[in-house]
Amino acid sequence: MAVALAFDEVEPRERAEGDPALLVDVDGFEGPLDLLLELARRQKVDLQRISILALAEQYLHFVEEARRLRLELAADYLVMAAWLAYLKSRLLLPEPPKSEEPSAADLATALALRLRRLEGIRTAAEELAARDRLGRDVFPRGAPEPIEVRSRPLWEASLFDLLSAYARQRQHQFNARVTLQKRRVWSLAEAREALERLIGTAGDWTALDAYLAAYVARPEQRATVLASALSASLEMVREGQLLLRQDAPFAPLYARSPAAEAPR
Amino acid sequence: MKRGHLAILTRTDEAPGLPDRAEAVRVAEAILFAAPAPMSADEIAARLPQGADVAAVLADLRATYAGRGVNLVRVAGRWAFRTASDLAYVLARDAVEPRRLSRAAMETLAIIAYHQPVTRAEIEEIRGVATSKGTLDTLLETGWIRLRGRRRAPGRPVTYGTTPTFLDHFGLDAVGDLPGLDELKGAGLLEGRVPQELSVPIPSDDLALREDEAPLDDDLFAPLEIEAGEGGA
Amino acid sequence: MKRGHLAILTRTDEAPGLPDRAEAVRVAEAILFAAPAPMSADEIAARLPQGADVAAVLADLRATYAGRGVNLVRVAGRWAFRTASDLAYVLARDAVEPRRLSRAAMETLAIIAYHQPVTRAEIEEIRGVATSKGTLDTLLETGWIRLRGRRRAPGRPVTYGTTPTFLDHFGLDAVGDLPGLDELKGAGLLEGRVPQELSVPIPSDDLALREDEAPLDDDLFAPLEIEAGEGGA
């Protein structure tokens, strides 16, 4: 269905002078109902009291005019014209007594209703379009602040996890019983014992740090091991039981038994 | 008008019975200002201090902002702050001109809004012309209309309806607030030709399908093509 | 462009003869609300009614919003509406994310539970490895352990214990209900003979400090740092 009418001739459209009601300009109409509505409006009366007969005549006149101008009307305009011609004849003739078809008056009323409905929705469309529209007349917040999703940890642990973790610790200790007891402080006596073992085994200069590393069970014991070892070694040097050598300040300390032969 | 530290106090040792209304209003104000889209009263209530009366809080807030440069409005059953409409002239500079709908599209939209749920054939009957596929596509593209379901009738035509975005765009709380709806209804202009006994002459954008509507089912993505064949029926 | 009820707004003392201050405030309010980014006073001034004093308008607006859920603030010399800082929490949604404790944390927790009150050094002695600060922090975060006090001993190390939340989470009535070594063995969690000397002390999560515990006093917020220094002593 063609919505707008096409002109088959290039010649400028002729316009009936002086009578705008007969202006043959189908370009702006959207189908026959739209045209009918426009014609009805020109009757300048309430659509409810419109004369369908007059309207049908105007429409038919319009179509004739279009034909005279050799305008090609879309099929639906012609269908409407045929129907209106039929309606017109029905309206003019006396109503047959028991007809099975709807009466001419009913048909006219139905057409009027359709026109009113179209007009009603047109008005509504205009009112709708004229409303304060978002982004044209009213505006939302230009810089919305999105909801920040903060993840909150939900810690999961069962009593079983807790007990088995504890048991694991204790089990570890069952098995580790034989290892020497961990102490927070390495006593001088322990240091001396260790150094005496060193003298016994190492004939050559031995790096004290490396040797003592074996006694540092945990990192934080390093200080106490070194401190106690140093005190013990100084005492042993004084007693002539140990030789110490350091090549430069802060350089590694070496120790050996004075009894051993210097290899040099 | 209370300051932050006070507010925190109120939240922790909350007086039994009356929660602090002013604080609840502040919270609702903050939430609605920040929200990128309109929020339902329930969504707001979920964030208010316990026991706050969300309706009263919103009424307070609406009253506070009445007449201001920003107003609290209800759109699509939800709440949002919007610039006052009489200030459009100042803000128009920012406006990205919304796509102008053709007259045909605007009419089609109006028919969908006022007559929903409505089929393409019914739209055409009202307008008296065929509806081009482009018109419906354009409208679907705006996000203002949606395919609702299928009419339980021969050909099972797709039914169209409007969306909450439509209400938001046109500043409507509900389809019942459409302009001139009462006049159209009163004049009997909303009654369709179709199933008289089922037709309720009130538009409905309710998500629930009507009795005479069936779900779209799986041919969701090709409804227009399918419906196109129905025009002549 | 003035609305009827605007008079209500004229709360700001408006000098007669000057351009309508209230209207200028409304315009500024709407512009700032709709602005996608903070605006300079000059940009705002360019849109205000002729002759409006932008500084006064902004001062008015700032005063109006002071103490509300949304405030007018200056950001880098520009103006913008921002959620009141004390309400930041309403703009955040807590997503609960299930997380499991690391093995080290679980073991540390178990030792704290069984040996409380216990110091970090004691935990390390039992576990045989150093306990990272992160592990204790994580456990404090769970809300299952707490700093109890300080051991009356050289270095005054912090003592740890469990909280009522701990009992609640693990479904225990009291810490005394934690199964002993024999029971753990009975449950198949331990193997071998339980050495005599490995008895488990009776744990206490009593709020009252023990005789060998002193209160945390005022260095509450730096106990871990203080304790960290104690390792080498």
Side-chain angles (χ1 to χ4, degrees):
Chain A
M1 278 183 269
V3 167
L5 293 179
F7 295 93
D8 61 343
E9 278 166 63
V10 198
E11 65 180 60
R13 282 172 280 169
E14 284 180 45
R15 299 197 167 180
E17 302 219 334
D19 187 357
L22 286 179
L23 189 68
V24 182
D25 180 4
V26 283
D27 227 6
F29 294 112
E30 284 201 66
L33 206 59
D34 188 25
L35 174 56
L36 266 175
L37 186 60
E38 180 55 33
L39 292 173
R41 278 200 185 123
R42 291 180 193 191
Q43 289 193 12
K44 296 204 167 79
V45 287
D46 187 341
L47 269 183
Q48 269 175 298
R49 284 177 292 138
I50 198 167
S51 162
I52 291 295
L53 185 59
L55 190 61
E57 278 170 348
Q58 281 178 42
Y59 185 92
L60 293 171
H61 183 71
F62 176 94
V63 171
E64 255 171 54
E65 196 66 11
R67 281 207 178 123
R68 196 177 60 76
L69 295 171
R70 301 163 78 187
L71 293 177
E72 192 173 295
L73 288 172
D76 44 352
Y77 285 82
L78 301 177
V79 169
M80 178 63 87
W83 188 80
L84 286 173
Y86 164 75
L87 179 63
K88 183 184 162 189
S89 66
R90 288 277 310 270
L91 285 169
L92 292 173
L93 293 170
E95 202 66 33
K98 279 199 233 161
S99 171
E100 280 177 20
E101 288 173 54
S103 72
D106 287 349
L107 291 175
T109 309
L111 178 62
L113 185 69
R114 276 192 82 185
L115 290 174
R116 281 173 52 215
R117 200 160 56 164
L118 180 60
E119 192 187 44
I121 209 72
R122 288 237 164 114
T123 311
E126 279 161 21
E127 282 179 42
L128 196 59
R131 281 188 69 83
D132 290 330
R133 289 164 65 174
L134 189 65
R136 188 188 75 179
D137 308 300
V138 297
F139 296 83
R141 176 91 187 263
E145 299 162 62
I147 299 285
E148 174 203 348
V149 179
R150 262 191 319 222
S151 74
R152 189 167 52 85
L154 176 70
W155 295 100
E156 286 179 341
S158 66
L159 186 59
F160 177 81
D161 293 336
L162 183 75
L163 298 182
S164 49
Y166 188 66
R168 202 158 58 227
Q169 291 302 303
R170 304 319 299 216
Q171 186 79 62
H172 178 68
Q173 285 191 322
F174 286 13
N175 306 339
R177 272 301 81 180
V178 282
T179 59
L180 71 149
Q181 201 123 18
K182 291 172 188 80
R183 298 238 172 118
R184 294 190 50 75
V185 177
W186 214 42
S187 68
L188 278 176
E190 282 173 300
R192 195 180 170 109
E193 234 177 79
L195 290 170
E196 278 163 4
R197 263 202 297 280
L198 165 74
I199 298 162
T201 52
D204 198 356
W205 290 108
T206 304
L208 214 49
D209 276 3
Y211 177 71
L212 291 171
Y215 294 89
V216 181
R218 291 184 292 149
E220 58 271 42
Q221 280 184 326
R222 196 178 132 78
T224 175
V225 166
L226 289 186
S228 299
L230 186 66
S231 301
S233 65
L234 290 176
E235 199 183 345
M236 287 168 74
V237 167
R238 203 182 46 167
E239 289 167 12
Q241 295 189 46
L242 188 73
L243 289 180
L244 277 181
R245 195 185 100 193
Q246 188 176 31
D247 294 332
F250 302 107
L253 270 173
Y254 291 89
R256 73 167 171 87
S257 159
E261 287 297 319
R264 236 165 258 256
Chain B
M1 300 279 174
K2 9 188 17 192
R3 294 320 318 256
H5 51 281
L6 237 155
I8 289 159
L9 269 183
T10 331
R11 287 202 316 130
T12 45
D13 49 41
E14 203 169 303
L18 279 179
D20 191 321
R21 167 76 63 85
E23 177 65 3
V25 169
R26 287 184 77 229
V27 171
E29 186 179 29
I31 293 169
L32 285 164
F33 241 78
M39 291 181 80
S40 72
D42 283 351
E43 286 165 354
I44 298 162
R47 288 155 170 277
L48 292 186
Q50 274 245 300
D53 176 350
V54 66
V57 163
L58 289 168
D60 263 23
L61 208 52
R62 168 129 79 167
T64 305
Y65 277 88
R68 299 259 297 260
V70 172
N71 306 143
L72 182 62
V73 298
R74 253 183 89 96
V75 282
R78 291 161 170 263
W79 296 86
F81 276 117
R82 296 282 186 253
T83 57
S85 57
D86 67 305
L87 295 178
Y89 75 99
V90 200
L91 294 157
R93 268 185 267 183
D94 300 331
V96 182
E97 179 64 28
R99 174 140 57 139
R100 276 194 64 82
L101 288 182
S102 68
R103 187 176 128 160
M106 200 62 216
E107 259 176 47
T108 305
L109 175 64
I111 294 168
I112 292 171
Y114 287 79
H115 290 263
Q116 62 187 312
V118 66
T119 67
R120 183 169 169 172
E122 287 158 3
I123 296 167
E124 294 180 345
E125 208 233 304
I126 294 169
R127 297 193 61 231
V129 280
T131 302
S132 76
K133 185 172 178 307
T135 300
L136 284 169
D137 283 354
T138 303
L139 288 175
L140 284 165
E141 220 177 89
T142 60
W144 296 339
I145 68 163
R146 64 188 184 90
L147 311 179
R148 287 178 52 88
R150 294 188 170 281
R151 177 70 44 79
R152 291 186 200 279
R156 293 171 43 77
V158 167
T159 51
Y160 293 89
T162 57
T163 63
T165 316
F166 164 81
L167 295 175
D168 193 12
H169 183 87
F170 291 95
L172 295 162
D173 188 19
V175 285
D177 296 337
L178 283 165
L181 183 65
D182 290 341
E183 289 91 312
L184 286 174
K185 210 161 69 184
L189 297 179
L190 290 183
E191 277 112 22
R193 187 190 51 170
V194 239
Q196 213 66 56
E197 64 283 2
L198 284 176
S199 113
V200 184
I202 295 166
S204 162
D205 61 354
D206 198 331
L207 287 178
L209 295 175
R210 285 202 174 160
E211 271 176 54
D212 63 345
E213 282 179 299
L216 279 172
D217 43 73
D218 47 10
D219 51 358
L220 178 67
F221 296 106
L224 291 174
E225 284 71 21
I226 288 168
E227 205 200 3
E230 151 229 350
Chain C
M1 291 291 171
K2 212 178 137 167
R3 289 182 158 190
H5 48 290
L6 203 80
I8 300 161
L9 249 198
T10 326
R11 161 197 73 66
T12 46
D13 18 78
E14 196 177 313
L18 291 180
D20 192 330
R21 168 79 64 85
E23 176 68 359
V25 169
R26 289 184 76 228
V27 169
E29 187 179 28
I31 289 173
L32 284 163
F33 173 83
M39 292 178 78
S40 71
D42 284 351
E43 286 165 352
I44 299 162
R47 291 154 161 254
L48 292 186
Q50 277 251 297
D53 175 352
V54 67
V57 163
L58 289 169
D60 263 21
L61 206 52
R62 169 127 80 167
T64 304
Y65 277 90
R68 303 201 55 104
V70 169
N71 305 144
L72 182 62
V73 298
R74 264 178 83 99
V75 205
R78 293 165 168 263
W79 296 86
F81 280 119
R82 288 277 187 270
T83 307
S85 54
D86 66 302
L87 293 180
Y89 74 93
V90 303
L91 295 183
R93 190 163 49 88
D94 283 345
V96 172
E97 180 195 312
R99 229 187 279 172
R100 290 192 69 81
L101 284 179
S102 69
R103 185 181 156 125
M106 201 65 222
E107 286 176 6
T108 306
L109 175 65
I111 292 164
I112 292 172
Y114 272 90
H115 295 259
Q116 62 188 308
V118 65
T119 67
R120 182 169 169 175
E122 287 159 1
I123 296 167
E124 293 180 345
E125 191 181 325
I126 296 169
R127 292 191 63 223
V129 284
T131 301
S132 78
K133 185 174 178 303
T135 300
L136 284 168
D137 284 351
T138 302
L139 288 174
L140 284 165
E141 200 187 296
T142 61
W144 294 337
I145 69 163
R146 64 187 182 91
L147 311 180
R148 287 178 52 87
R150 295 189 169 280
R151 177 70 45 77
R152 292 187 199 279
R156 295 171 42 78
V158 168
T159 52
Y160 293 90
T162 57
T163 62
T165 317
F166 167 83
L167 295 177
D168 196 29
H169 182 91
F170 290 96
L172 294 163
D173 194 22
V175 284
D177 292 350
L178 283 167
L181 291 181
D182 290 328
E183 289 166 283
L184 291 177
K185 196 180 154 191
L189 290 171
L190 274 174
E191 286 168 4
R193 202 180 55 82
V194 177
Q196 287 300 290
E197 70 276 22
L198 251 189
S199 67
V200 177
I202 295 157
S204 161
D205 61 355
D206 198 332
L207 285 180
L209 295 175
R210 285 201 172 163
E211 270 177 46
D212 62 349
E213 282 179 298
L216 278 173
D217 40 73
D218 48 7
D219 53 354
L220 177 67
F221 295 106
L224 291 174
E225 284 70 20
I226 287 167
E227 203 197 7
E230 148 224 352

